[in-house]
Amino acid sequence: MAPRKRPRSEDPERGQQQQHAGLCATLRGEDASVRLLEELVFGAEERPWTQCSSVSDSSVFLEEDDAGSVCSEESGTQPAVRSAAWEDEEDEQDEEIDMTHRFRRDFKKSEAESKMTKQRLQQRLKEQFQKAMGGTPSWAEATDKKSQKKEPDSEDEDDGEDLLRRTGNFIGSSDILPKGIIKMKKCVNVNSECPGGDQLTSVQFHPSAQIVMTAGLDHSVSLFQVDGKSNPKIQTIHLENFPVSKASFSADGEHIVATGLRNKLFYIYDMMEGRVLPVTSVRGLNEQRVSDFQVSPDGKYLLLSGSSGYLHLMTTKTREVIRSMKMNGSVCAAAFTTDSSKIYANSQEGEVFIWDVQSSKCLKKFADDGCVRGTSLALSRDGLYLACGSQSGVVNIYSQQDCLQKLVPRPLKAVMNLVTAASSLCFNSTSEILAIGSRADDEANRLVHLPSFTVFSNFPQFQKKTIFQTRCVDFSPRSGFYSVANNKGHALLFRLLHYTDF
């Protein structure tokens, strides 16, 4: 039997093509120049090795991800969406946050909100921030408008370039006090080392030193050093059988003037010499009793409130009355302007009088809008505002310029957050806060933001009584501290965190 013949070899050209394909596989890729050479030598016929579908083992040439991307590019289809490696079922559940915690209870609007979802709490925090800032901050609005104008591709690049062009403190706070919520901290009481034996009638910060003075019906005047931690006592002056109606520092801070409730006797305490000087009589003063007075900012005068609508201007140098002014009704409050050139006085009949100090002439008289019985008055240090309190608790805030120029000035705002008589009014040094208080009710104390004329919502805290009945209020020289003297013999102290100085 003849041996079987070997099969005929394939076409030589076909063999060369297979040999070249193997060479390309060995080189792990098809270079563009190799493809062009193949087309010139063998023709542009379809080659099965160029199709992704004919590649038996793509892992020889490419990684799995690369091979998939190449096939999608050549075929024109989109790559498949990869599934997540792990899915947590708890991510889709809305976790309930306990709102009764002491760090979150202030964000509740009602007692029903004992629990809140994360999304709801985040929205509440955003609302609180915008409320504190007085709306959406200008820098946030500018960023939103700027991002809408930019192209998506160049947004991050432009923001980075703009940041590198500028230098400065990017986390610095604004110098303007924001409305809504005031940042403050409760400190140890001013007179914690020596509480008053009876209700306090006065509390006042020293005009230049870090000292505060308290006085009350326990016949004493005390001085304390303010540090916010222990507030050590400096000195206590006992005035025998003399319940203090009002005590105040002189303009230079070297003396303390104290008046009583029963007669026209008053005391002057010299802080430099440590000597108490009783003033039994004042030349030209025909009054049976003097309890209220005002110190002029220039230190030249004391304005004594008398009976029957009289105001007596006494010089501090000679201690004699040089002028007297008469107003209709009874005087309830008076104050000097910052330059000591004018006197604003409020009568119990609800009329405001403006006097010239040098000539003792009445420059203007107008009725406090809607007031039946006046109780208090205060002037801002910058000469912008006048505040008038009434028996009904309404505090009208006027422009001092309008009071001088307009025939019937209208209040800029009527603050109606008190329901009892507004007995205490005080502006801070920057005229951004007006403190109002009433001695007729507990916790009747509010801080009004200016010029928005809105009340800070977080003062006082009503969870626990701390202020009780307000007798007197005062701000430190640069508004770093706020103090309230109450009927319990305590002078409360609050640190206003917006202001960095004492």
Side-chain angles (χ1 to χ4, degrees), residues 294-298 301-303 313 334-344 357 377 379-380:
Q294 300 294 327
V295 180
S296 65
D298 59 7
Y301 306 105
L302 280 182
L303 183 67
L313 197 64
F336 283 93
T337 56
T338 306
D339 58 1
S340 302
S341 62
K342 300 179 184 62
I343 296 172
Y344 283 71
V357 173
L377 180 141
L379 294 174
S380 63

Side-chain angles (χ1 to χ4, degrees), residues 399-416:
S399 166
Q400 290 190 32
Q401 186 176 3
D402 291 347
C403 295
L404 290 171
Q405 296 179 356
K406 294 184 178 179
L407 182 62
V408 182
R410 305 292 297 177
L412 302 174
K413 178 68 176 181
V415 182
M416 302 183 181

Side-chain angles (χ1 to χ4, degrees), residues 463-475:
Q463 284 81 2
K464 182 180 179 181
K465 285 186 179 181
T466 55
I467 297 179
F468 294 95
Q469 296 179 9
T470 302
R471 295 292 175 176
C472 185
V473 297
D474 192 32
F475 291 94

